[in-house]
Amino acid sequence: MDASTAFAPPVKPPSGGGRNLHRFANPGRFLRLSGRVLPFVALPGLVLTLAGLVWGLLFAPADWQQGDAVRIMYVHVPAAWLASAGYAALAACSLSSLVWRHPLADLAALEIGPVGAGATALCLATGSLWGKPMWGAWWVWDARLTSVLVLFFLYLGHIALTRAFDDPARGARAGAILALVGAVDLPIIKFSVDWWNTLHQPATITLTGAPTMYLGMLWPLFLSALGMTLGFVAIVLARTRAAVMERRLRTLLATRARQEAGQEAGQEAGQEAGGIA
Amino acid sequence: MTHLTYIIAAYGVFAVIAVWFSATSWTRMTHARKRLAAIDPRASR
């Protein structure tokens, strides 16, 4: 049995744009490639995160208004960015699974879910810890906070739904539909501070304008955001590698069990035939 | 440093979540690799 056929039913590569995606659909190729890439993602992720957080915690200046509480930003903002980016990746995998039947997209979506939920929980927890000294409340039903809470529930719903079926393919399909529908929450999160009057501050860093933040604060924020993003990718890669190997194990064990059952049935049939003769 | 308790709590929550996800991912991956290598020698290639 070829390594690539031990994982899942063969999938006919689509024509057009999906063909390039399917070049990396072979689980054996994915394991080889991800094994090479993983150290180059995990190690810089660790170093950059530590550098950004130590810089932000010990060397970046305090805010003239918020004091040292602003240092929570170096954890909170990257977590918020990862919560949204993780869900966008989850939705992209779901789309790839539904449209192109990419064999690894389901597994990747399954593994992104818990990590994204962790990032969202971190965002909510650190936001609450920042909100208490600044706003005087652990929680307010502000549009930004509420839409992120909805995102957290969407992650939890995806985790529960994908694991609720006996047939993993049906669970993945239901989860993919939920992920795509839930993607509508992402622009709501992004623009909530513009569309509604919120206690949460508007965006400080935008793609179109210059950042309205002191560079001594921007650099550690940039480092911790980049480091945490690489860390997120490394964790998802490691989990997806584990999931691919576990699926291969299940397939191999099931194949072996079928072969053994077939041999036993053949031996019994032979004995019965011998007894009759 | 002002608001030290909140800052320590925020960084502590981050450390717990990051370490937990890293450790479980790494353990799961190495465990799966060992189990696979035990039944399929090609997996170690």
Side-chain angles (χ1 to χ4, degrees):
Chain A
M1 186 165 43
D2 181 61
S4 63
T5 58
F7 295 92
V11 179
K12 188 184 173 188
S15 57
R19 185 182 292 277
N20 287 330
L21 280 172
H22 275 259
R23 280 182 59 214
F24 301 100
N26 181 313
R29 185 178 293 167
F30 168 77
L31 284 179
R32 279 194 302 277
L33 197 65
S34 60
R36 283 185 204 139
V37 167
L38 191 55
F40 295 100
V41 179
L43 203 62
L46 180 68
V47 171
L48 289 175
T49 304
L50 285 177
L53 292 185
V54 169
W55 188 350
L57 191 61
L58 301 177
F59 302 109
D63 186 67
W64 69 278
Q65 209 169 20
Q66 300 187 36
D68 287 303
V70 78
R71 298 183 198 282
I72 297 175
M73 169 180 76
Y74 304 109
V75 181
H76 174 73
V77 172
W81 141 251
L82 282 176
S84 291
Y87 198 87
L90 182 66
C93 285
S94 302
L95 187 72
S96 177
S97 166
L98 286 175
V99 176
W100 294 293
R101 304 270 176 200
H102 194 288
L104 288 178
D106 284 344
L107 281 184
L110 203 68
E111 300 306 329
I112 290 171
V115 190
T120 316
L122 179 65
C123 169
L124 288 169
T126 52
S128 198
L129 285 163
W130 197 0
K132 179 63 180 167
M134 292 301 108
W135 299 340
W138 294 104
W139 180 265
V140 286
W141 290 104
D142 173 273
R144 171 59 71 85
L145 276 68
T146 309
S147 53
V148 174
L149 184 66
V150 170
L151 183 73
F152 183 58
F153 290 142
L154 282 168
Y155 271 122
L156 294 186
H158 184 268
I159 293 167
L161 195 59
T162 48
R163 288 155 178 82
F165 292 83
D166 288 334
D167 178 10
R170 285 185 64 200
R173 191 172 173 79
I177 293 167
L178 173 70
L180 285 176
V181 173
V184 75
D185 193 37
L186 294 181
I188 295 176
I189 292 172
K190 171 78 180 79
F191 296 110
S192 57
V193 287
D194 303 321
W195 291 343
W196 293 284
N197 274 324
T198 58
L199 199 52
H200 193 284
Q201 66 170 57
T204 311
I205 303 164
T206 58
L207 287 175
T208 50
T212 56
M213 189 189 287
Y214 174 58
L215 273 179
M217 293 173 163
L218 192 63
W219 269 109
L221 179 61
F222 173 71
L223 284 185
S224 62
L226 186 62
M228 284 192 209
T229 305
L230 290 174
F232 186 96
V233 171
I235 289 171
V236 169
L237 265 182
R239 289 174 64 99
T240 310
R241 278 174 63 77
V244 168
M245 288 188 273
E246 285 162 0
R247 189 163 80 178
R248 186 175 180 182
L249 259 170
R250 282 195 299 273
T251 311
L252 284 172
L253 290 174
T255 308
R256 192 173 284 183
R258 272 199 303 273
Q259 285 172 346
E260 284 172 2
Q263 283 173 355
E264 282 174 12
Q267 284 172 354
E268 283 174 10
Q271 284 170 357
E272 282 175 14
I276 291 168
Chain B
M1 195 180 273
T2 59
H3 309 110
L4 190 61
T5 318
Y6 297 101
I7 297 168
I8 291 173
Y11 280 69
V13 172
F14 164 73
V16 167
I17 291 179
V19 168
W20 189 81
F21 270 110
S22 305
T24 53
S25 308
W26 185 259
T27 310
R28 193 178 148 201
M29 194 175 69
T30 49
H31 184 66
R33 189 190 296 145
K34 280 179 189 165
R35 280 192 66 200
L36 190 59
I39 66 163
D40 182 12
R42 287 173 305 169
S44 57
R45 275 187 291 175

